[in-house]
Amino acid sequence: MESKTSRSPSPEFSPLAIGTDLAPPRELKAAATTDLDFSGLLSNAIQLHEDLKSGNGGQAWPAGMVLAKHMLRYHRHDLQNSRILELGAGGGLVGLGVASGCDITQPVYVTDQVNMLPLMEKNVALNKLGSRVQPAVLNWGEPLGADVVNFKPDVILAADCVYFEPAFPLLLATLSDLLALCPSATIYFCFKKRRRADMQFLKRAQKAFQTVELVDQDREVFSRENIFLYSFRSKTRESKSAS
Ligand SMILES: C[S@@+](CC[C@H](N)C(=O)[O-])C[C@H]1O[C@@H](n2cnc3c(N)ncnc32)[C@H](O)[C@@H]1O
Protein backbone atom coordinates (compact mmCIF):
# COMPACT_ATOMS: atom_id res chain seq x y z
CA MET A 1 0.00 0.00 0.00
CA GLU A 2 1.30 3.45 -0.82
CA SER A 3 0.27 6.71 0.77
CA LYS A 4 1.53 10.27 1.07
CA THR A 5 2.25 11.20 4.66
CA SER A 6 3.83 13.87 6.77
CA ARG A 7 7.31 13.01 7.97
CA SER A 8 7.50 10.20 10.50
CA PRO A 9 10.11 10.31 13.27
CA SER A 10 13.58 9.10 12.32
CA PRO A 11 13.77 5.34 12.50
CA GLU A 12 15.60 3.57 15.24
CA PHE A 13 17.74 0.64 14.25
CA SER A 14 15.27 -2.05 15.07
CA PRO A 15 15.30 -5.42 13.31
CA LEU A 16 11.56 -4.94 12.92
CA ALA A 17 12.07 -1.68 11.07
CA ILE A 18 14.65 -2.83 8.54
CA GLY A 19 14.68 -4.93 5.41
CA THR A 20 15.32 -8.53 4.65
CA ASP A 21 19.08 -8.31 4.23
CA LEU A 22 19.70 -8.17 7.98
CA ALA A 23 16.71 -9.79 9.63
CA PRO A 24 13.39 -10.98 8.24
CA PRO A 25 10.88 -8.37 9.40
CA ARG A 26 7.56 -9.60 10.74
CA GLU A 27 5.70 -6.61 9.40
CA LEU A 28 7.14 -3.90 7.14
CA LYS A 29 6.17 -0.28 7.62
CA ALA A 30 3.87 0.60 4.71
CA ALA A 31 5.49 2.25 1.70
CA ALA A 32 4.82 5.97 1.59
CA THR A 33 5.91 9.20 -0.08
CA THR A 34 6.87 12.15 2.10
CA ASP A 35 7.64 15.81 1.40
CA LEU A 36 11.01 16.80 2.88
CA ASP A 37 12.35 20.34 3.12
CA PHE A 38 15.09 19.62 5.68
CA SER A 39 13.78 22.08 8.30
CA GLY A 40 13.12 24.77 5.71
CA LEU A 41 16.55 24.55 4.07
CA LEU A 42 14.89 23.70 0.74
CA SER A 43 12.41 26.23 -0.56
CA ASN A 44 10.88 23.50 -2.72
CA ALA A 45 10.57 20.27 -0.76
CA ILE A 46 11.73 17.04 -2.34
CA GLN A 47 9.52 13.99 -2.36
CA LEU A 48 11.03 10.86 -0.88
CA HIS A 49 9.42 7.53 -1.52
CA GLU A 50 10.27 5.06 1.24
CA ASP A 51 9.73 1.34 0.88
CA LEU A 52 11.43 -1.16 3.14
CA LYS A 53 10.75 -3.95 0.66
CA SER A 54 13.87 -2.69 -1.16
CA GLY A 55 16.09 -3.23 1.90
CA ASN A 56 16.97 -1.36 5.06
CA GLY A 57 18.00 1.71 3.02
CA GLY A 58 14.37 1.96 1.92
CA GLN A 59 13.63 4.54 4.56
CA ALA A 60 15.34 7.75 5.61
CA TRP A 61 17.81 7.25 8.47
CA PRO A 62 18.67 9.83 11.12
CA ALA A 63 22.29 10.42 10.09
CA GLY A 64 21.07 10.99 6.52
CA MET A 65 18.88 13.83 7.70
CA VAL A 66 21.79 15.36 9.64
CA LEU A 67 24.21 15.08 6.71
CA ALA A 68 21.74 16.50 4.18
CA LYS A 69 21.07 19.47 6.44
CA HIS A 70 24.80 20.00 7.02
CA MET A 71 25.50 20.07 3.28
CA LEU A 72 22.61 22.46 2.59
CA ARG A 73 23.59 24.75 5.43
CA TYR A 74 27.37 24.85 4.97
CA HIS A 75 28.06 23.77 1.37
CA ARG A 76 25.24 25.26 -0.64
CA HIS A 77 27.53 27.48 -2.71
CA ASP A 78 30.94 25.78 -2.71
CA LEU A 79 30.20 22.61 -4.68
CA GLN A 80 30.01 24.13 -8.17
CA ASN A 81 33.22 22.45 -9.27
CA SER A 82 32.73 19.26 -7.26
CA ARG A 83 32.24 15.71 -8.44
CA ILE A 84 29.92 14.28 -5.79
CA LEU A 85 29.27 10.61 -5.04
CA GLU A 86 27.11 9.18 -2.26
CA LEU A 87 27.76 5.72 -0.79
CA GLY A 88 24.98 3.61 0.77
CA ALA A 89 22.46 6.15 -0.45
CA GLY A 90 19.35 4.04 0.26
CA GLY A 91 16.48 5.85 -1.46
CA GLY A 92 18.84 8.74 -2.22
CA LEU A 93 17.92 11.08 0.66
CA VAL A 94 21.21 12.97 0.95
CA GLY A 95 22.08 13.07 -2.76
CA LEU A 96 18.59 14.29 -3.70
CA GLY A 97 18.76 16.99 -1.04
CA VAL A 98 22.19 18.16 -2.23
CA ALA A 99 21.15 18.05 -5.90
CA SER A 100 18.01 20.08 -5.13
CA GLY A 101 19.48 22.75 -2.91
CA CYS A 102 23.18 23.11 -3.63
CA ASP A 103 24.77 24.83 -6.61
CA ILE A 104 26.17 21.93 -8.63
CA THR A 105 27.28 21.68 -12.21
CA GLN A 106 27.71 17.90 -12.50
CA PRO A 107 25.18 15.17 -11.60
CA VAL A 108 25.45 13.68 -8.12
CA TYR A 109 26.08 9.92 -8.22
CA VAL A 110 23.86 8.16 -5.67
CA THR A 111 25.08 4.60 -5.17
CA ASP A 112 24.04 1.51 -3.26
CA GLN A 113 23.57 -2.22 -3.76
CA VAL A 114 21.53 -3.39 -6.73
CA ASN A 115 18.38 -3.99 -4.66
CA MET A 116 18.20 -0.25 -3.92
CA LEU A 117 18.56 0.84 -7.57
CA PRO A 118 14.81 0.87 -8.43
CA LEU A 119 13.99 2.99 -5.36
CA MET A 120 16.79 5.47 -6.15
CA GLU A 121 15.53 5.66 -9.74
CA LYS A 122 11.95 6.12 -8.58
CA ASN A 123 12.93 9.02 -6.32
CA VAL A 124 14.99 10.68 -9.05
CA ALA A 125 11.99 10.48 -11.42
CA LEU A 126 9.53 11.64 -8.73
CA ASN A 127 11.58 14.80 -8.30
CA LYS A 128 12.38 15.24 -12.01
CA LEU A 129 16.06 15.32 -11.09
CA GLY A 130 17.29 13.08 -13.91
CA SER A 131 19.73 15.72 -15.12
CA ARG A 132 21.17 16.31 -11.61
CA VAL A 133 21.22 12.85 -9.98
CA GLN A 134 22.66 9.63 -11.40
CA PRO A 135 21.79 6.39 -9.54
CA ALA A 136 24.34 3.56 -9.81
CA VAL A 137 25.39 0.31 -8.15
CA LEU A 138 28.50 0.43 -5.99
CA ASN A 139 29.20 -2.50 -3.67
CA TRP A 140 31.63 -1.68 -0.88
CA GLY A 141 34.79 -3.77 -0.90
CA GLU A 142 34.65 -4.39 -4.64
CA PRO A 143 37.05 -2.68 -7.08
CA LEU A 144 35.65 0.69 -8.19
CA GLY A 145 33.88 0.49 -11.55
CA ALA A 146 35.16 2.29 -14.63
CA ASP A 147 32.38 4.91 -14.38
CA VAL A 148 33.49 5.88 -10.86
CA VAL A 149 37.18 5.80 -11.78
CA ASN A 150 36.50 8.11 -14.73
CA PHE A 151 34.30 10.41 -12.65
CA LYS A 152 37.00 10.64 -9.92
CA PRO A 153 34.72 11.94 -7.16
CA ASP A 154 36.19 14.60 -4.90
CA VAL A 155 33.23 14.94 -2.53
CA ILE A 156 31.97 11.70 -1.02
CA LEU A 157 28.86 11.52 1.12
CA ALA A 158 28.07 8.63 3.46
CA ALA A 159 25.25 8.61 6.01
CA ASP A 160 24.24 5.86 8.39
CA CYS A 161 26.56 3.35 6.74
CA VAL A 162 27.95 2.10 10.08
CA TYR A 163 25.53 -0.49 11.37
CA PHE A 164 26.68 -3.97 10.33
CA GLU A 165 30.07 -5.02 11.68
CA PRO A 166 30.98 -7.50 8.92
CA ALA A 167 30.64 -4.65 6.42
CA PHE A 168 33.11 -2.36 8.25
CA PRO A 169 36.23 -3.59 6.38
CA LEU A 170 34.36 -3.41 3.07
CA LEU A 171 33.31 0.19 3.68
CA LEU A 172 36.80 1.15 4.85
CA ALA A 173 38.29 -0.44 1.72
CA THR A 174 35.98 1.57 -0.53
CA LEU A 175 36.67 4.82 1.34
CA SER A 176 40.42 4.13 1.01
CA ASP A 177 40.06 3.33 -2.70
CA LEU A 178 38.17 6.58 -3.28
CA LEU A 179 40.82 8.63 -1.45
CA ALA A 180 43.56 6.85 -3.38
CA LEU A 181 41.74 7.64 -6.63
CA CYS A 182 41.43 11.32 -5.69
CA PRO A 183 43.81 12.25 -2.84
CA SER A 184 42.31 15.76 -2.60
CA ALA A 185 38.80 14.36 -1.96
CA THR A 186 36.77 15.02 1.18
CA ILE A 187 34.45 12.40 2.66
CA TYR A 188 31.52 13.76 4.66
CA PHE A 189 30.70 10.93 7.00
CA CYS A 190 27.77 10.88 9.41
CA PHE A 191 26.79 7.92 11.55
CA LYS A 192 24.72 7.01 14.54
CA LYS A 193 26.36 4.95 17.24
CA ARG A 194 24.05 2.12 18.10
CA ARG A 195 26.51 -0.41 19.46
CA ARG A 196 29.95 -0.22 21.04
CA ALA A 197 31.41 -1.81 17.88
CA ASP A 198 30.39 1.26 15.88
CA MET A 199 33.12 3.26 17.63
CA GLN A 200 35.62 0.62 16.45
CA PHE A 201 34.77 1.73 12.94
CA LEU A 202 35.64 5.31 13.87
CA LYS A 203 38.90 4.19 15.50
CA ARG A 204 39.89 2.35 12.33
CA ALA A 205 38.96 5.37 10.24
CA GLN A 206 41.05 7.61 12.49
CA LYS A 207 44.05 5.35 11.90
CA ALA A 208 43.56 5.28 8.16
CA PHE A 209 42.48 8.86 7.42
CA GLN A 210 42.84 12.42 8.58
CA THR A 211 39.56 12.86 10.49
CA VAL A 212 37.92 16.02 11.78
CA GLU A 213 34.70 16.28 13.75
CA LEU A 214 32.70 18.95 11.93
CA VAL A 215 31.23 22.11 13.34
CA ASP A 216 27.46 22.24 12.91
CA GLN A 217 24.88 24.43 14.60
CA ASP A 218 22.80 21.32 15.42
CA ARG A 219 25.72 19.35 16.86
CA GLU A 220 24.59 19.65 20.46
CA VAL A 221 21.18 18.26 19.50
CA PHE A 222 22.30 15.39 17.28
CA SER A 223 25.17 14.37 19.52
CA ARG A 224 22.58 13.70 22.24
CA GLU A 225 21.19 11.11 19.81
CA ASN A 226 24.69 9.62 19.44
CA ILE A 227 25.03 10.94 15.91
CA PHE A 228 28.57 11.91 14.82
CA LEU A 229 29.56 14.03 11.83
CA TYR A 230 33.12 13.88 10.49
CA SER A 231 35.19 14.69 7.47
CA PHE A 232 37.75 12.11 6.35
CA ARG A 233 40.66 13.02 4.11
CA SER A 234 43.72 11.27 2.83
CA LYS A 235 46.74 11.27 5.16
CA THR A 236 48.94 11.37 2.06
CA ARG A 237 47.47 14.76 1.23
CA GLU A 238 48.18 15.89 4.81
CA SER A 239 51.86 14.85 4.69
CA LYS A 240 52.26 16.42 1.21
CA SER A 241 50.92 19.78 2.37
CA ALA A 242 53.14 19.66 5.52
CA SER A 243 56.32 19.08 3.50
C1 LIG B 1 20.98 2.39 7.13
S1 LIG B 1 20.93 2.59 5.38
C2 LIG B 1 21.24 4.34 5.17
C3 LIG B 1 20.56 4.88 3.94
C4 LIG B 1 20.74 6.39 3.69
N1 LIG B 1 22.14 6.74 3.55
C5 LIG B 1 20.12 7.22 4.80
O1 LIG B 1 20.87 7.83 5.58
O2 LIG B 1 18.88 7.29 4.88
C6 LIG B 1 22.52 1.89 4.87
C7 LIG B 1 22.65 1.68 3.37
O3 LIG B 1 23.92 1.07 3.11
C8 LIG B 1 23.76 0.14 2.06
N2 LIG B 1 24.78 -0.92 2.12
C9 LIG B 1 24.96 -1.86 3.08
N3 LIG B 1 25.97 -2.67 2.78
C10 LIG B 1 26.45 -2.25 1.59
C11 LIG B 1 27.50 -2.71 0.72
N4 LIG B 1 28.25 -3.78 1.03
N5 LIG B 1 27.73 -2.05 -0.43
C12 LIG B 1 26.97 -0.96 -0.76
N6 LIG B 1 25.97 -0.48 0.01
C13 LIG B 1 25.69 -1.12 1.16
C14 LIG B 1 22.37 -0.45 2.33
O4 LIG B 1 21.82 -1.04 1.17
C15 LIG B 1 21.60 0.77 2.80
O5 LIG B 1 20.93 1.42 1.75
Side-chain angles (χ1 to χ4, degrees):
M1 193 185 77
E2 296 190 7
S3 62
K4 191 159 172 176
T5 63
S6 61
R7 184 100 220 104
S8 56
S10 291
E12 274 310 306
F13 198 74
S14 152
L16 294 181
I18 61 177
T20 50
D21 49 347
L22 291 183
R26 266 178 237 148
E27 196 182 317
L28 290 181
K29 200 179 106 177
T33 302
T34 312
D35 289 337
L36 266 184
D37 71 358
F38 301 101
S39 306
L41 286 163
L42 286 183
S43 44
N44 293 317
I46 57 161
Q47 288 186 285
L48 190 76
H49 187 69
E50 297 174 282
D51 186 352
L52 282 165
K53 281 203 280 312
S54 321
N56 68 70
Q59 73 184 89
W61 290 86
M65 295 297 292
V66 168
L67 182 57
K69 285 200 237 175
H70 179 83
M71 299 308 290
L72 289 167
R73 199 172 273 140
Y74 299 101
H75 295 286
R76 194 180 280 269
H77 302 299
D78 62 10
L79 298 173
Q80 281 107 334
N81 299 317
S82 301
R83 301 174 301 277
I84 307 169
L85 178 140
E86 184 182 3
L87 296 171
L93 167 74
V94 183
L96 290 166
V98 167
S100 299
C102 296
D103 298 338
I104 54 162
T105 50
Q106 302 208 49
V108 177
Y109 268 78
V110 289
T111 73
D112 205 297
Q113 292 173 309
V114 69
N115 52 304
M116 296 308 307
L117 194 57
L119 187 63
M120 292 192 281
E121 288 170 343
K122 180 174 179 129
N123 280 323
V124 170
L126 205 55
N127 292 284
K128 300 187 174 58
L129 281 172
S131 61
R132 292 172 74 85
V133 183
Q134 175 65 58
V137 173
L138 189 160
N139 294 312
W140 307 336
E142 291 184 4
L144 299 173
D147 48 349
V148 175
V149 171
N150 292 334
F151 185 54
K152 219 176 177 192
D154 61 357
V155 170
I156 292 124
L157 308 169
D160 246 320
C161 291
V162 175
Y163 63 99
F164 184 51
E165 220 179 327
F168 290 1
L170 306 179
L171 179 57
L172 280 165
T174 293
L175 295 174
S176 300
D177 288 350
L178 287 165
L179 290 182
L181 177 68
C182 183
S184 60
T186 303
I187 298 167
Y188 293 92
F189 196 89
C190 192
F191 71 100
K192 180 170 166 84
K193 174 188 175 285
R194 300 181 173 89
R195 306 179 190 81
R196 205 176 301 159
D198 296 347
M199 293 325 265
Q200 290 304 319
F201 179 89
L202 182 62
K203 278 197 185 142
R204 285 189 232 171
Q206 283 168 330
K207 266 195 186 163
F209 314 124
Q210 180 196 344
T211 63
V212 175
E213 192 163 13
L214 295 175
V215 172
D216 189 290
Q217 70 173 56
D218 291 340
R219 190 157 105 186
E220 210 182 306
V221 178
F222 64 69
S223 59
R224 269 188 247 127
E225 295 173 45
N226 287 324
I227 294 176
F228 297 87
L229 176 61
Y230 276 84
S231 68
F232 298 164
R233 289 174 147 193
S234 163
K235 283 194 171 173
T236 316
R237 163 197 172 121
E238 188 185 34
S239 57
K240 266 191 191 148
S241 55
S243 58

